[in-house]
Amino acid sequence: MNKDMHNRLTGWGVLLLSLFLSVLTSCSKKDNNSPVISVAFESFSHGIPPSGEVIMKIVASAPVPNETIIPFSLIGSAMVGTDYEIKATSFVFAAGTNVAEVKVITKPSFDKTKSLKVTLRDMPAGIKPGNLLFTEIGIALKDILIYSFESKSVTMTESADINLTLQTGAGTFVAEKELRIPVEFMEGTTAIEGRNFSFDGPKEFVIPAGKSKGTVKLKLIKQEAGKDVIMMKLTGLNQYYAAGNFDKTKITIFGGAYEKLKGSWKYKGFTNREWLAQSTEHLNDSPAALPGKNTDKDLLIFGDNGMKIEMTGDVKNYFKDATLLNMGEVTEVLQETAGFPLRVKMMLVKVSAMNVNFSATKSKIRPGELGLRIFKEGPKEILEVTIRDYEPTDFLANTYKEYQSYGDTPVMKTMPIRYHFERAN
């Protein structure tokens, strides 16, 4: 082989070696720079819907080229088999997809006190952990329905309205569809259904769509000594309900108020004075002028012939000796009560004479209506007197003028004066 031929072969060898090394380097760079897919949960938490079915999802940053399995672990106070069922032990991505799902079926025992944490583990080759490697399952605060009776005790006269309010753990609740919640009687109930009282409507609270409150109505049948207590609570509640202020209520059968009026009642207090003052201050009516100068010497006396008065305080400017006519029971809202205004049953009576100007210097005597409610405050009997039929001139004159445009009958129906009297004998 001559020298020129040797040089040419050597040159070709060097060129082929260079090309080979270039290919190896290119492949190596391609392997080192191939994209790594990240995987993470779609959501940090999962609430439990009423169906009890929870779908967990994990998402890949790009479609996986082959079937990819991502195992997970389970920890928490909720127990598999007891509180929930889950068949899978891993998330499985089908080739060419970037979403994988696992279903959890919760049971009624999975209540608001329990939770389940699901954590991804053991990422396969080509997969790296994303930003969210775990999710928690539980009943969300917004899904919890907090229920409460309107008050812990109710006095039943000829009838009683028992009210229930719902709200969510996050605030206001409005029923998307009608809800029905049955009631039952607890230990301590002495009154007999069908003998001492009956339901005036369904034996359950009905919360209409778009509302948050329901009412159960009771009617008095027969009053008997020793059979005068109804202890009521809710029944049939699922894991989405939690008790609020009053999870039960005590209903005491007091009987018709009219028969219990007889006797003398002494002045005890002006119970909604502060509420009246706050509610009317924007109309420039002076709180100092409200008729609160009364003492326990001011008496209302009820007998067979009606009502007599022995009074020297401000109340004498309204009340007169008069006959009474029972007009039946109505529902009254006690706006002055804290929190949710309390609704009570009161007897409405027609009074033959009253000075509706409620004044020592001005007089307009006519028949009118008066609200009366008797209840017990410990061992004491209290007569609550609601004055809503009045045409004031010495106080609340601006308020009365304003309320004339509202169309209520009587005009001050929603701006009453409320006094308490205590039984004297």
Side-chain angles (χ1 to χ4, degrees):
M1 179 182 297
N2 61 33
K3 186 177 180 179
D4 290 339
M5 178 64 71
H6 178 269
N7 289 339
R8 284 197 294 271
L9 288 176
T10 302
W12 279 109
V14 170
L15 178 60
L16 288 173
L17 179 60
S18 297
L19 288 172
F20 177 71
L21 291 174
S22 175
V23 169
L24 285 178
T25 302
S26 175
C27 290
S28 175
K29 287 183 178 179
K30 184 175 180 181
D31 288 343
N32 291 337
N33 294 331
S34 61
V36 176
I37 296 172
S38 64
V39 170
F41 276 101
E42 182 182 54
S43 176
F44 171 76
S45 62
H46 292 77
I48 301 175
S51 66
E53 184 177 292
V54 177
I55 304 295
M56 300 184 296
K57 292 182 181 180
I58 60 172
V59 180
S61 59
V64 297
N66 304 301
E67 181 181 86
T68 303
I69 298 173
I70 312 288
F72 55 80
S73 62
L74 303 169
I75 60 171
S77 54
M79 304 300 294
V80 65
T82 301
D83 302 314
Y84 67 94
E85 297 289 348
I86 184 170
K87 294 181 179 179
T89 57
S90 303
F91 287 93
V92 179
F93 288 100
T97 66
N98 71 328
V99 176
E101 298 180 351
V102 167
K103 181 189 296 185
V104 178
I105 303 296
T106 63
K107 299 182 178 183
S109 60
F110 199 138
D111 60 24
K112 56 190 174 295
T113 66
K114 297 176 181 178
S115 64
L116 174 64
K117 184 176 181 180
V118 184
T119 304
L120 302 180
R121 59 183 182 86
D122 300 338
M123 297 289 177
I127 302 294
K128 72 174 184 178
N131 292 329
L132 190 56
L133 295 182
F134 69 90
T135 190
E136 293 200 23
I137 297 174
I139 295 178
L141 184 64
K142 66 180 181 62
D143 295 325
I144 296 174
L145 284 179
I146 300 173
Y147 68 90
S148 179
F149 284 94
E150 189 173 58
S151 62
K152 66 179 180 180
S153 61
V154 177
T155 299
M156 180 176 173
T157 51
E158 295 172 5
S159 62
D161 289 351
I162 314 303
N163 301 303
L164 185 80
T165 300
L166 296 179
Q167 66 181 62
T168 69
T172 304
F173 168 77
V174 175
E176 294 182 2
K177 60 181 180 179
E178 182 183 87
L179 291 177
R180 290 179 173 263
I181 308 174
V183 300
E184 67 178 5
F185 306 126
M186 300 170 56
E187 183 179 352
T189 297
T190 58
I192 301 171
E193 182 185 356
R195 173 173 170 174
N196 302 115
F197 72 95
S198 64
F199 284 86
D200 187 11
K203 194 175 178 177
E204 58 187 356
F205 286 101
V206 180
I207 293 91
K211 303 293 183 181
S212 61
K213 297 180 180 180
T215 301
V216 166
K217 295 180 176 291
L218 302 178
K219 289 176 64 176
L220 176 65
I221 297 176
K222 180 183 179 183
Q223 189 174 5
E224 291 184 81
K227 294 183 175 61
D228 58 354
V229 174
I230 304 166
M231 297 296 297
M232 182 182 289
K233 69 173 184 177
L234 305 185
T235 187
L237 300 177
N238 61 29
Q239 68 269 39
Y240 293 92
Y241 288 88
N245 290 335
F246 308 116
D247 63 342
K248 57 184 176 295
T249 191
K250 178 182 180 180
I251 305 154
T252 302
I253 298 176
F254 191 76
Y258 197 77
E259 294 76 15
K260 293 180 171 60
L261 279 174
K262 287 185 180 179
S264 298
W265 301 82
K266 60 183 179 181
Y267 178 84
K268 185 173 186 289
F270 187 171
T271 58
N272 72 338
R273 186 187 187 284
E274 184 178 345
W275 174 83
L276 265 177
Q278 292 175 350
S279 300
T280 58
E281 62 182 354
H282 67 288
L283 295 171
N284 298 319
D285 280 320
S286 172
L290 290 170
K293 298 180 181 67
N294 307 295
T295 71
D296 60 5
K297 304 299 182 185
D298 295 308
L299 301 178
L300 283 174
I301 304 166
F302 296 92
D304 293 333
N305 298 320
M307 177 178 70
K308 293 186 178 297
I309 66 167
E310 292 182 8
M311 296 175 167
T312 58
D314 288 342
V315 284
K316 75 178 188 305
N317 298 326
Y318 181 81
F319 292 103
K320 302 294 178 186
D321 291 350
T323 57
L324 306 177
L325 175 65
N326 186 358
M327 299 170 64
E329 286 190 324
V330 296
T331 298
E332 176 73 358
V333 179
L334 305 184
Q335 304 102 319
E336 63 271 22
T337 53
F340 293 110
L342 190 62
R343 290 177 289 180
V344 298
K345 288 288 189 179
M346 74 177 184
M347 177 177 62
L348 204 60
V349 296
K350 191 77 169 181
V351 182
S352 63
M354 55 176 64
N355 180 14
V356 292
N357 285 156
F358 212 139
S359 171
T361 59
K362 299 179 182 65
S363 181
K364 183 177 181 179
I365 309 298
R366 65 165 172 80
E369 63 182 46
L370 189 68
L372 301 173
R373 180 171 76 100
I374 300 175
F375 63 95
K376 285 199 170 183
E377 199 173 75
K380 299 176 181 178
E381 276 190 299
I382 303 298
L383 171 63
E384 185 173 77
V385 178
T386 298
I387 298 172
R388 57 184 192 173
D389 192 354
Y390 65 112
E391 303 172 22
T393 56
D394 300 349
F395 62 93
L396 299 187
N398 295 328
T399 302
Y400 180 73
K401 184 177 180 180
E402 173 80 12
Y403 273 61
Q404 281 181 306
S405 65
Y406 293 174
D408 284 334
T409 303
V411 171
M412 301 292 270
K413 182 178 181 178
T414 58
M415 192 58 67
I417 293 171
R418 197 138 26 235
Y419 294 125
H420 280 186
F421 289 75
E422 181 184 330
R423 184 179 285 283
N425 62 48

